[in-house]
Amino acid sequence: MSHPQSYEILLVPEHEADTRTPDPDTALRSAVVEATGDMGESGYPRYTGEGVEADIDPATHTVEALLVDGTEIDYGLTVRIAEHIGGRSEEEGPGAPGTDARTG
């Protein structure tokens, strides 16, 4: 596969995402998701793990669809992703395209 095999998903309050570099300690929830090899309904690769299902655009690292424990996230929450490389996460840097997926 040409896209990353795993990401760390960070669910943060929207105001924390305004800094573009949220502290993982401020995340309300985090999960490591692994590529399933399937395409999601959004047309992007599907990732699952730790109760989280996400369709992620590998070109822009944008979360196109997200379910947490089978439900959509509440308004006022933002999703951040960090690519998992060699067993460690590497957070997308400031100004990186597609690192936020706002709700509402």
Side-chain angles (χ1 to χ4, degrees):
M1 290 182 188
S2 62
H3 53 84
Q5 294 303 295
S6 64
Y7 287 99
E8 181 175 11
I9 302 285
L10 302 173
L11 190 60
V12 298
E14 192 169 300
H15 69 276
E16 290 289 330
D18 292 341
T19 66
R20 302 286 296 165
T21 54
D23 181 355
D25 292 335
T26 64
L28 300 174
R29 180 158 177 184
S30 67
V32 174
V33 293
E34 303 282 333
T36 65
D38 296 327
M39 298 301 270
E41 289 186 32
S42 67
Y44 293 98
R46 169 70 47 99
Y47 292 79
T48 63
E50 300 179 33
V52 174
E53 294 180 43
D55 295 358
I56 301 174
D57 179 347
T60 64
H61 303 279
T62 301
V63 176
E64 297 291 342
L66 179 76
L67 294 176
V68 177
D69 297 330
T71 61
E72 295 180 3
I73 62 173
D74 292 331
Y75 290 105
L77 298 176
T78 300
V79 177
R80 299 294 304 255
I81 63 172
E83 188 174 341
H84 244 48
I85 300 173
R88 64 180 179 82
S89 65
E90 181 177 295
E91 189 168 340
E92 297 295 323
T99 54
D100 289 335
R102 294 181 189 267
T103 62

